[in-house]
PDB file of all heavy atoms in Angstrom:
ATOM      1  N   THR A  15      24.922 -31.307 -48.202  1.00 99.00           N
ATOM      2  CA  THR A  15      25.698 -31.560 -46.978  1.00 99.00           C
ATOM      3  C   THR A  15      25.899 -33.052 -46.682  1.00 99.00           C
ATOM      4  O   THR A  15      26.494 -33.400 -45.666  1.00 99.00           O
ATOM      5  CB  THR A  15      25.025 -30.895 -45.760  1.00 99.00           C
ATOM      6  OG1 THR A  15      23.684 -31.393 -45.625  1.00 99.00           O
ATOM      7  CG2 THR A  15      25.002 -29.380 -45.907  1.00 99.00           C
ATOM      8  N   LYS A  55      22.853 -60.003 -72.728  1.00 98.00           N
ATOM      9  CA  LYS A  55      23.120 -60.951 -71.641  1.00 98.00           C
ATOM     10  C   LYS A  55      24.017 -60.338 -70.558  1.00 98.00           C
ATOM     11  O   LYS A  55      24.578 -61.057 -69.738  1.00 98.00           O
ATOM     12  CB  LYS A  55      23.786 -62.210 -72.217  1.00 98.00           C
ATOM     13  CG  LYS A  55      23.015 -62.824 -73.386  1.00 98.00           C
ATOM     14  CD  LYS A  55      23.732 -64.019 -73.978  1.00 98.00           C
ATOM     15  CE  LYS A  55      23.186 -64.378 -75.365  1.00 98.00           C
ATOM     16  NZ  LYS A  55      21.730 -64.483 -75.436  1.00 98.00           N
ATOM     17  N   ASN A 211      15.153 -54.612 -74.628  1.00 98.00           N
ATOM     18  CA  ASN A 211      15.542 -55.301 -75.861  1.00 98.00           C
ATOM     19  C   ASN A 211      14.481 -55.139 -76.939  1.00 98.00           C
ATOM     20  O   ASN A 211      14.781 -54.910 -78.116  1.00 98.00           O
ATOM     21  CB  ASN A 211      15.770 -56.787 -75.599  1.00 98.00           C
ATOM     22  CG  ASN A 211      17.197 -57.140 -75.254  1.00 98.00           C
ATOM     23  OD1 ASN A 211      17.469 -58.197 -74.659  1.00 98.00           O
ATOM     24  ND2 ASN A 211      18.151 -56.310 -75.618  1.00 98.00           N
ATOM     25  N   VAL A 238      23.670 -49.575 -71.771  1.00 98.00           N
ATOM     26  CA  VAL A 238      23.812 -50.736 -70.898  1.00 98.00           C
ATOM     27  C   VAL A 238      22.972 -50.471 -69.655  1.00 98.00           C
ATOM     28  O   VAL A 238      23.109 -49.426 -69.015  1.00 98.00           O
ATOM     29  CB  VAL A 238      25.286 -50.968 -70.512  1.00 98.00           C
ATOM     30  CG1 VAL A 238      25.412 -52.145 -69.546  1.00 98.00           C
ATOM     31  CG2 VAL A 238      26.140 -51.202 -71.761  1.00 98.00           C
ATOM     32  N   ILE A 265      23.697 -25.817 -54.733  1.00 99.00           N
ATOM     33  CA  ILE A 265      22.815 -25.954 -55.893  1.00 99.00           C
ATOM     34  C   ILE A 265      22.359 -24.555 -56.266  1.00 99.00           C
ATOM     35  O   ILE A 265      21.818 -23.826 -55.432  1.00 99.00           O
ATOM     36  CB  ILE A 265      21.605 -26.850 -55.595  1.00 99.00           C
ATOM     37  CG1 ILE A 265      22.061 -28.239 -55.130  1.00 99.00           C
ATOM     38  CG2 ILE A 265      20.726 -26.990 -56.841  1.00 99.00           C
ATOM     39  CD1 ILE A 265      20.918 -29.176 -54.755  1.00 99.00           C
TER      40      ILE A 265
END
Side-chain angles (χ1 to χ4, degrees):
T15 58
K55 308 177 196 311
N211 268 159
V238 177
I265 303 177

